[in-house]
Amino acid sequence: MDEAVGNLTQTLEDSGLLNNTILVFTTDNGGQTLSGGNNFPLRGRKATYWEGGVRGNGFVYSPLLKNPGSTSKELMHITDWYPTLVKLAGGSMAGTKLDGYNVWDSINLGAPSPRKDILHNIDPMYKKKGESVSKVFDTSVQAALRHGDWKILTGDPGYDKWVPKPTLYSDYSKRFYDWSTSSSNKNVYLFNIAEDPTEHFEVSAKYPDVVDMLLSRLAAYNSTAVPVFYPDTDSRCNPALHGGYWGPWL
């Protein structure tokens, strides 16, 4: 990967295009600790809703940056890349209804992000946990929402341990090769991520009004969801029937 990125940047530089190029290098989720990934000091892993699963890092390189070398902790979701890059390329989003925001000023100038929420997920198909403690939103359902500095998780957020930095000890992979999910009996968790990014201090009992507000926001998002639909398996899609290739079959 290092060689490929180097080849790409060298080609852009040799062709005189680098001065008008923006390079984005990022990820779509946290590392999978079952496969050699590590999110230390964050909690959890890929496929969970702890910060170790949902927080991604990355960098932007460009001679066009006004404040190179800076770090942004503003809220940004993967859906924000599309409107951001379209705007940078001189395009228009007029008349287009999107979930994403143009966050270039946050990246380039350190301005506050226009994004206030990140809905990580609401999964009504995942195994429910316990009984709901709210009449506003079913807290037995697996869901997670970030609003400003606050983050709420409901249901079973998934594997909830803090996996330390890898070591050379032979038993490291065995000690943390763990398929378990949340070890708590709770189904509502509240964290102030700005103050506690490692999610050590659960504060739902201390801030019940914040919990109610965030559950109301989850309910509002959930009211816009379409029903989950998994069609039956169709044997006509078998690649053996199409020359060994996956493709449209209807």
Side-chain angles (χ1 to χ4, degrees):
M1 182 182 292
D2 289 348
E3 182 179 0
V5 173
N7 291 341
L8 177 62
T9 53
Q10 188 63 54
T11 300
L12 289 168
E13 186 171 14
D14 292 345
S15 62
L17 295 174
L18 189 59
N19 286 335
N20 195 38
T21 295
I22 296 170
L23 294 174
V24 177
F25 195 93
T26 187
T27 182
D28 58 346
N29 46 247
Q32 178 51 274
T33 59
L34 295 171
S35 304
N38 190 266
N39 306 300
F40 180 85
L42 301 179
R43 189 177 190 178
R45 62 185 176 212
K46 177 181 177 179
T48 75
Y49 297 110
W50 307 105
E51 288 296 283
V54 300
R55 179 180 289 225
N57 55 13
F59 67 85
V60 176
Y61 170 80
S62 176
L64 302 175
L65 287 169
K66 302 294 185 184
N67 194 19
S70 60
T71 299
S72 175
K73 294 185 179 180
E74 294 295 317
L75 283 186
M76 182 177 179
H77 186 259
I78 192 170
T79 57
D80 299 330
W81 281 121
Y82 179 59
T84 300
L85 296 175
V86 167
K87 184 66 175 179
L88 284 169
S92 172
M93 306 305 300
T96 305
K97 186 176 181 180
L98 297 173
D99 292 324
Y101 296 87
N102 176 6
V103 294
W104 181 243
D105 284 350
S106 299
I107 295 170
N108 190 34
L109 304 175
S113 173
R115 174 173 290 282
K116 306 305 178 187
D117 284 358
I118 294 179
L119 177 63
H120 294 301
N121 202 13
I122 300 174
D123 189 351
M125 303 297 290
Y126 197 82
K127 183 180 179 181
K128 293 186 176 183
K129 183 176 183 180
E131 298 294 329
S132 180
V133 297
S134 170
K135 295 182 179 179
V136 175
F137 180 80
D138 185 353
T139 62
S140 69
V141 171
Q142 186 189 63
L145 171 70
R146 174 80 181 267
H147 175 70
D149 292 342
W150 294 107
K151 177 181 174 185
I152 192 167
L153 305 98
T154 65
D156 184 352
Y159 179 80
D160 60 0
K161 297 178 177 60
W162 293 266
V163 177
K165 292 181 181 179
T167 70
L168 296 178
Y169 294 111
S170 60
D171 68 339
Y172 178 86
S173 60
K174 294 180 181 179
R175 287 167 56 202
F176 298 104
Y177 196 82
D178 183 354
W179 285 91
S180 65
T181 56
S182 174
S183 59
S184 168
N185 292 324
K186 294 170 59 64
N187 64 16
V188 175
Y189 308 80
L190 178 68
F191 299 94
N192 185 315
I193 298 300
E195 297 179 357
D196 178 29
T198 59
E199 296 170 305
H200 276 86
F201 305 104
E202 199 284 308
V203 293
S204 60
K206 186 176 180 180
Y207 298 101
D209 291 344
V210 175
V211 171
D212 290 344
M213 179 270 291
L214 295 176
L215 290 176
S216 293
R217 296 184 80 84
L218 278 173
Y221 279 116
N222 198 43
S223 69
T224 68
V226 298
V228 177
F229 172 62
Y230 285 114
D232 294 333
T233 300
D234 189 340
S235 61
R236 293 175 296 172
C237 72
N238 191 333
L241 303 177
H242 307 282
Y245 295 97
W246 287 104
W249 69 92
L250 297 178

mmCIF file of all heavy atoms in Angstrom, residues 29 44 46 53 64 66 89 93 100 106 116 121 142 158 179 183 191 193 196 228 230:
data_model
loop_
_atom_site.group_PDB
_atom_site.id
_atom_site.type_symbol
_atom_site.label_atom_id
_atom_site.label_comp_id
_atom_site.label_asym_id
_atom_site.label_seq_id
_atom_site.Cartn_x
_atom_site.Cartn_y
_atom_site.Cartn_z
ATOM 1 N N ASN A 29 -14.290 1.985 9.112
ATOM 2 C CA ASN A 29 -14.679 1.500 10.446
ATOM 3 C C ASN A 29 -13.422 1.214 11.254
ATOM 4 O O ASN A 29 -12.296 1.344 10.754
ATOM 5 C CB ASN A 29 -15.532 0.224 10.345
ATOM 6 C CG ASN A 29 -14.977 -0.809 9.384
ATOM 7 O OD1 ASN A 29 -15.580 -1.075 8.345
ATOM 8 N ND2 ASN A 29 -13.815 -1.366 9.704
ATOM 9 N N GLY A 44 -13.935 -1.757 22.142
ATOM 10 C CA GLY A 44 -14.629 -2.480 21.092
ATOM 11 C C GLY A 44 -13.793 -2.704 19.844
ATOM 12 O O GLY A 44 -12.582 -2.505 19.817
ATOM 13 N N LYS A 46 -14.336 -3.581 15.171
ATOM 14 C CA LYS A 46 -15.207 -3.564 14.001
ATOM 15 C C LYS A 46 -16.473 -4.383 14.266
ATOM 16 O O LYS A 46 -16.444 -5.408 14.935
ATOM 17 C CB LYS A 46 -14.452 -4.147 12.800
ATOM 18 C CG LYS A 46 -15.271 -4.242 11.525
ATOM 19 C CD LYS A 46 -14.452 -4.840 10.403
ATOM 20 C CE LYS A 46 -15.292 -4.994 9.140
ATOM 21 N NZ LYS A 46 -14.507 -5.551 8.012
ATOM 22 N N GLY A 53 -15.229 0.581 17.133
ATOM 23 C CA GLY A 53 -15.881 0.048 15.947
ATOM 24 C C GLY A 53 -16.326 1.097 14.961
ATOM 25 O O GLY A 53 -16.329 0.859 13.744
ATOM 26 N N LEU A 64 -3.565 22.787 -1.505
ATOM 27 C CA LEU A 64 -4.676 23.740 -1.405
ATOM 28 C C LEU A 64 -5.115 23.981 0.034
ATOM 29 O O LEU A 64 -5.896 24.894 0.293
ATOM 30 C CB LEU A 64 -5.867 23.223 -2.214
ATOM 31 C CG LEU A 64 -5.617 22.955 -3.706
ATOM 32 C CD1 LEU A 64 -6.844 22.324 -4.335
ATOM 33 C CD2 LEU A 64 -5.242 24.245 -4.422
ATOM 34 N N LYS A 66 -5.404 25.365 3.633
ATOM 35 C CA LYS A 66 -5.035 26.643 4.242
ATOM 36 C C LYS A 66 -4.319 26.453 5.571
ATOM 37 O O LYS A 66 -3.589 27.334 6.019
ATOM 38 C CB LYS A 66 -6.289 27.491 4.470
ATOM 39 C CG LYS A 66 -7.087 27.784 3.211
ATOM 40 C CD LYS A 66 -6.313 28.664 2.246
ATOM 41 C CE LYS A 66 -7.194 29.046 1.052
ATOM 42 N NZ LYS A 66 -6.445 29.832 0.044
ATOM 43 N N ALA A 89 -14.981 20.106 -6.633
ATOM 44 C CA ALA A 89 -14.775 19.925 -8.069
ATOM 45 C C ALA A 89 -15.572 20.922 -8.905
ATOM 46 O O ALA A 89 -15.513 20.883 -10.133
ATOM 47 C CB ALA A 89 -15.154 18.501 -8.466
ATOM 48 N N MET A 93 -24.977 20.738 -5.864
ATOM 49 C CA MET A 93 -25.880 19.768 -5.249
ATOM 50 C C MET A 93 -27.310 20.288 -5.223
ATOM 51 O O MET A 93 -28.171 19.726 -4.550
ATOM 52 C CB MET A 93 -25.424 19.449 -3.822
ATOM 53 C CG MET A 93 -23.973 18.993 -3.696
ATOM 54 S SD MET A 93 -23.557 17.582 -4.721
ATOM 55 C CE MET A 93 -24.699 16.379 -4.072
ATOM 56 N N GLY A 100 -25.565 13.744 3.530
ATOM 57 C CA GLY A 100 -24.255 14.311 3.813
ATOM 58 C C GLY A 100 -24.220 15.827 3.759
ATOM 59 O O GLY A 100 -25.119 16.480 3.221
ATOM 60 N N SER A 106 -14.577 22.761 7.616
ATOM 61 C CA SER A 106 -14.114 22.127 8.857
ATOM 62 C C SER A 106 -12.728 21.522 8.663
ATOM 63 O O SER A 106 -11.851 21.641 9.526
ATOM 64 C CB SER A 106 -15.096 21.039 9.294
ATOM 65 O OG SER A 106 -16.373 21.586 9.558
ATOM 66 N N LYS A 116 -24.515 17.759 13.094
ATOM 67 C CA LYS A 116 -24.784 17.710 14.532
ATOM 68 C C LYS A 116 -25.024 16.291 15.035
ATOM 69 O O LYS A 116 -24.828 16.001 16.216
ATOM 70 C CB LYS A 116 -26.004 18.579 14.870
ATOM 71 C CG LYS A 116 -25.892 20.016 14.377
ATOM 72 C CD LYS A 116 -24.628 20.698 14.887
ATOM 73 C CE LYS A 116 -24.500 22.118 14.347
ATOM 74 N NZ LYS A 116 -23.185 22.721 14.702
ATOM 75 N N ASN A 121 -26.495 3.500 13.679
ATOM 76 C CA ASN A 121 -27.385 2.451 13.165
ATOM 77 C C ASN A 121 -28.596 2.301 14.073
ATOM 78 O O ASN A 121 -28.561 2.664 15.253
ATOM 79 C CB ASN A 121 -26.672 1.098 13.070
ATOM 80 C CG ASN A 121 -27.340 0.153 12.080
ATOM 81 O OD1 ASN A 121 -28.190 0.572 11.296
ATOM 82 N ND2 ASN A 121 -26.959 -1.107 12.115
ATOM 83 N N GLN A 142 -30.885 -2.816 19.144
ATOM 84 C CA GLN A 142 -29.507 -2.362 18.970
ATOM 85 C C GLN A 142 -29.490 -1.081 18.137
ATOM 86 O O GLN A 142 -29.945 -1.060 16.991
ATOM 87 C CB GLN A 142 -28.682 -3.443 18.258
ATOM 88 C CG GLN A 142 -27.207 -3.107 18.167
ATOM 89 C CD GLN A 142 -26.461 -4.070 17.281
ATOM 90 O OE1 GLN A 142 -26.720 -4.158 16.081
ATOM 91 N NE2 GLN A 142 -25.525 -4.813 17.859
ATOM 92 N N GLY A 158 -22.403 -4.800 21.260
ATOM 93 C CA GLY A 158 -21.368 -5.706 20.795
ATOM 94 C C GLY A 158 -20.199 -5.806 21.761
ATOM 95 O O GLY A 158 -20.206 -5.214 22.843
ATOM 96 N N TRP A 179 -15.369 -13.965 20.875
ATOM 97 C CA TRP A 179 -16.555 -13.661 20.074
ATOM 98 C C TRP A 179 -17.717 -13.148 20.926
ATOM 99 O O TRP A 179 -18.820 -12.967 20.417
ATOM 100 C CB TRP A 179 -17.000 -14.907 19.314
ATOM 101 C CG TRP A 179 -16.122 -15.225 18.152
ATOM 102 C CD1 TRP A 179 -15.015 -16.025 18.139
ATOM 103 C CD2 TRP A 179 -16.251 -14.744 16.813
ATOM 104 N NE1 TRP A 179 -14.455 -16.066 16.895
ATOM 105 C CE2 TRP A 179 -15.198 -15.301 16.051
ATOM 106 C CE3 TRP A 179 -17.164 -13.886 16.185
ATOM 107 C CZ2 TRP A 179 -15.033 -15.021 14.697
ATOM 108 C CZ3 TRP A 179 -17.002 -13.624 14.828
ATOM 109 C CH2 TRP A 179 -15.945 -14.186 14.100
ATOM 110 N N SER A 183 -20.907 -7.491 27.881
ATOM 111 C CA SER A 183 -20.885 -8.240 29.136
ATOM 112 C C SER A 183 -21.806 -7.637 30.188
ATOM 113 O O SER A 183 -21.923 -8.157 31.293
ATOM 114 C CB SER A 183 -19.453 -8.279 29.686
ATOM 115 O OG SER A 183 -18.964 -6.954 29.898
ATOM 116 N N PHE A 191 -22.480 8.299 27.011
ATOM 117 C CA PHE A 191 -21.103 8.746 27.189
ATOM 118 C C PHE A 191 -20.943 10.156 26.635
ATOM 119 O O PHE A 191 -21.585 10.526 25.646
ATOM 120 C CB PHE A 191 -20.119 7.823 26.460
ATOM 121 C CG PHE A 191 -20.137 6.405 26.941
ATOM 122 C CD1 PHE A 191 -20.935 5.461 26.313
ATOM 123 C CD2 PHE A 191 -19.368 6.025 28.031
ATOM 124 C CE1 PHE A 191 -20.969 4.147 26.758
ATOM 125 C CE2 PHE A 191 -19.387 4.706 28.487
ATOM 126 C CZ PHE A 191 -20.190 3.776 27.851
ATOM 127 N N ILE A 193 -18.383 11.784 24.690
ATOM 128 C CA ILE A 193 -17.230 11.323 23.919
ATOM 129 C C ILE A 193 -16.108 12.352 23.902
ATOM 130 O O ILE A 193 -14.925 11.985 23.857
ATOM 131 C CB ILE A 193 -17.657 10.954 22.489
ATOM 132 C CG1 ILE A 193 -18.669 9.803 22.522
ATOM 133 C CG2 ILE A 193 -16.460 10.579 21.632
ATOM 134 C CD1 ILE A 193 -18.147 8.527 23.153
ATOM 135 N N ASP A 196 -14.627 11.702 27.271
ATOM 136 C CA ASP A 196 -14.357 10.294 27.565
ATOM 137 C C ASP A 196 -14.379 9.476 26.273
ATOM 138 O O ASP A 196 -15.251 8.631 26.078
ATOM 139 C CB ASP A 196 -15.424 9.791 28.552
ATOM 140 C CG ASP A 196 -15.285 8.319 28.899
ATOM 141 O OD1 ASP A 196 -14.146 7.807 28.867
ATOM 142 O OD2 ASP A 196 -16.324 7.684 29.199
ATOM 143 N N VAL A 228 -37.556 -3.500 7.008
ATOM 144 C CA VAL A 228 -36.474 -4.365 6.555
ATOM 145 C C VAL A 228 -37.048 -5.466 5.675
ATOM 146 O O VAL A 228 -38.060 -6.085 6.009
ATOM 147 C CB VAL A 228 -35.735 -4.983 7.762
ATOM 148 C CG1 VAL A 228 -34.647 -5.938 7.285
ATOM 149 C CG2 VAL A 228 -35.142 -3.883 8.630
ATOM 150 N N TYR A 230 -35.764 -8.870 3.460
ATOM 151 C CA TYR A 230 -34.790 -9.824 2.948
ATOM 152 C C TYR A 230 -35.522 -10.781 2.002
ATOM 153 O O TYR A 230 -36.264 -11.637 2.450
ATOM 154 C CB TYR A 230 -34.151 -10.618 4.092
ATOM 155 C CG TYR A 230 -33.151 -9.846 4.894
ATOM 156 C CD1 TYR A 230 -33.398 -9.530 6.233
ATOM 157 C CD2 TYR A 230 -31.945 -9.436 4.337
ATOM 158 C CE1 TYR A 230 -32.474 -8.822 6.978
ATOM 159 C CE2 TYR A 230 -31.011 -8.727 5.068
ATOM 160 C CZ TYR A 230 -31.288 -8.433 6.390
ATOM 161 O OH TYR A 230 -30.378 -7.725 7.113
#
